[in-house]
Amino acid sequence: MQGNNPSVQNRPKKAASTTTPLVNERWYVAGRSDEITDAPMDRWLLNQTVLLYRARDGAVVALDNRCPHRSFPLVRGRRVDDAIVCGYHGLTFGRDGRCLRVPTLKSPPSNLAIRCFPVVERKPIVWIWMGDPTRADAQRIPEHFELNSPAWPGVTNYARIDANYVDLHENLQDLTHFTFLHGSSIGIPAFESTDLQVDVDAERVLTRRESRALPPPALWADTLPLRGDEIDRVITTTFKGPALCDGTMVITDLASERRYTAQILHFITPETNRTTHYWWFVLRDFGVTEVVIADKLLAGFSSTFHEDKQALEAIEQMKVRDSRRDFVEKSFAADRAGIQMRMSIQALADAEASSLD
Ligand code: FES
Ligand SMILES: [Fe+2]
């Protein structure tokens, strides 16, 4: 607590931050289906370098990208059928990671292999398991409901953020920054003091904010065929573990009583402790065949989420460059969802560490 003011708190010690070990024992997004092709590509995921490509049968292969001989990146080698030949001394690895050939030996050592990561493709997403492969249960892939439904067409984009993934999750749980960071798109001044509710359910944290009879923010005024100049808006955002936050936004045009719903899915994969892959989808139940609406949503949300990226990167730089060791961030009641999420991730990291002891 800060002095005798109970409404100001320091962040709890058991709240995840940049230095918290990453949680390996979860499914994460390795990429969108359309990113992964026959041509091998490398991508850092959870502090590991991974080689990704499609085998001849179309299945996605994910292998350790570091050659076990002299650490040459296998992505710089060449592909022969479904195998990868290292570009330094020619060690060859099959799609299951087993070494098939060492040019200086008659036959490769039987125990020589690189890691092969479990992968599940649920278009348009490819999921990867970076933890113990014996615990890779596809039933634990976070649900991402209408991503394939023609009734919910979507737009999507990607950003790489030079900031820690927990900070991005906090940004997504935080419905109090719209007015200030996104004043030209999804925020309006009157939204700053509307009701905020937070519910916690095991690993999940759900935040809900409702506003009644307010003017529409610019992005929605520009995108929706609103009849009147006042809307009700209900926004929810749900932390579903380290890899996914999903949100909904329901707008009711008070003049026509027409409801418009958007689902906003945020897929988050730590690249390293200080950098993050961020894939997002905005799905809608309105204007399903209208290209103009899709274009406006893509442009509007790309620029809105770019504001978040810039804010998170500025915060990260502040933490890196300001050497004050006694600086303690203060929190308020409205920050509860973010703190709950941080505590949830910290608990997962602690549980993983103790299971390895
Ligand atoms: S570094 Fe790959 S074969 Fe030598
Ligand atoms: Fe934001």
Side-chain angles (χ1 to χ4, degrees):
M1 294 292 173
Q2 173 77 17
N4 59 3
N5 181 352
S7 65
V8 183
Q9 299 176 9
N10 295 338
R11 184 187 286 171
K13 287 202 171 58
K14 294 306 265 178
S17 65
T18 306
T19 53
T20 302
L22 301 179
V23 178
N24 284 283
E25 299 271 312
R26 285 290 182 281
W27 289 96
Y28 289 92
V29 171
R32 272 198 326 254
S33 293
D34 61 347
E35 294 179 274
I36 301 170
T37 67
D38 299 348
M41 62 179 275
D42 61 324
R43 176 164 279 166
W44 284 83
L45 303 167
L46 283 77
N47 288 321
Q48 297 180 69
T49 176
V50 178
L51 183 72
L52 295 162
Y53 60 97
R54 282 187 192 276
R56 288 168 297 176
D57 63 6
V60 174
V61 177
L63 299 174
D64 190 346
N65 182 42
R66 179 172 177 170
C67 180
H69 179 223
R70 287 295 178 269
S71 299
F72 193 74
L74 292 172
V75 70
R76 297 208 200 173
R78 76 195 156 85
R79 179 175 169 176
V80 176
D81 298 331
D82 283 344
I84 299 292
V85 182
C86 179
Y88 202 1
H89 313 95
L91 263 67
T92 303
F93 301 92
R95 63 185 276 185
D96 60 356
R98 270 192 317 124
C99 184
L100 304 175
R101 182 167 182 261
V102 178
T104 54
L105 301 177
K106 276 205 177 109
S107 60
S110 58
N111 59 354
L112 185 58
I114 51 176
R115 261 190 92 178
C116 175
F117 300 94
V119 177
V120 173
E121 182 164 26
R122 296 214 171 132
K123 287 184 177 173
I125 294 291
V126 175
W127 294 91
I128 190 167
W129 179 269
M130 306 290 289
D132 178 345
T134 63
R135 289 202 281 266
D137 176 1
Q139 306 263 13
R140 294 173 62 194
I141 292 175
E143 49 187 72
H144 42 290
F145 42 94
E146 278 91 0
L147 256 185
N148 284 310
S149 166
W152 289 89
V155 294
T156 180
N157 209 341
Y158 166 85
R160 183 180 170 281
I161 300 180
D162 281 316
N164 172 256
Y165 80 109
V166 184
D167 290 351
L168 175 56
H169 271 295
E170 181 170 77
N171 166 279
L172 297 170
Q173 283 297 302
D174 166 14
L175 301 180
T176 67
H177 72 274
F178 289 15
T179 300
F180 306 96
L181 192 63
H182 306 308
S184 61
S185 57
I186 58 171
I188 57 167
F191 191 60
E192 72 179 51
S193 51
T194 55
D195 272 358
L196 191 63
Q197 298 164 8
V198 177
D199 287 309
V200 182
D201 161 25
E203 202 172 281
R204 295 182 177 209
V205 182
L206 188 142
T207 314
R208 177 185 170 92
R209 197 162 205 197
E210 298 186 19
S211 56
R212 301 289 171 200
L214 292 179
L219 189 152
W220 295 114
D222 187 41
T223 306
L224 299 175
L226 301 173
R227 296 249 185 90
D229 51 15
E230 286 191 336
I231 59 165
D232 288 348
R233 182 165 61 149
V234 179
I235 302 173
T236 61
T237 181
T238 307
F239 168 75
K240 290 187 167 175
L244 175 62
C245 171
D246 74 35
T248 60
M249 196 266 342
V250 181
I251 285 178
T252 306
D253 177 6
L254 295 185
S256 66
E257 297 190 359
R258 168 89 158 85
R259 265 165 63 138
Y260 302 91
T261 301
Q263 299 181 18
I264 304 159
L265 301 170
H266 311 270
F267 295 100
I268 295 170
T269 306
E271 181 184 54
T272 66
N273 279 68
R274 293 198 177 272
T275 57
T276 301
H277 298 291
Y278 177 30
W279 293 266
W280 55 261
F281 293 76
V282 175
L283 315 180
R284 65 187 187 277
D285 74 345
F286 51 88
V288 294
T289 58
E290 291 184 42
V291 176
V292 174
I293 287 185
D295 289 347
K296 284 183 175 176
L297 288 175
L298 180 59
F301 276 96
S302 293
S303 92
T304 300
F305 294 151
H306 188 68
E307 290 167 343
D308 292 305
K309 169 182 158 75
Q310 288 182 313
L312 292 169
E313 290 179 348
I315 291 166
E316 174 69 16
Q317 281 305 305
M318 183 70 79
K319 290 175 182 169
V320 168
R321 299 184 71 178
D322 184 335
S323 59
R324 271 176 287 180
R325 301 190 65 155
D326 58 349
F327 188 90
V328 180
E329 292 182 346
K330 302 295 185 271
S331 299
F332 309 98
D335 299 315
R336 182 170 161 239
I339 290 171
Q340 287 291 342
M341 173 278 303
R342 286 182 184 276
M343 292 169 71
S344 175
I345 289 184
Q346 184 68 50
L348 294 176
D350 290 345
E352 198 166 299
S354 61
S355 76
L356 296 175
D357 284 346

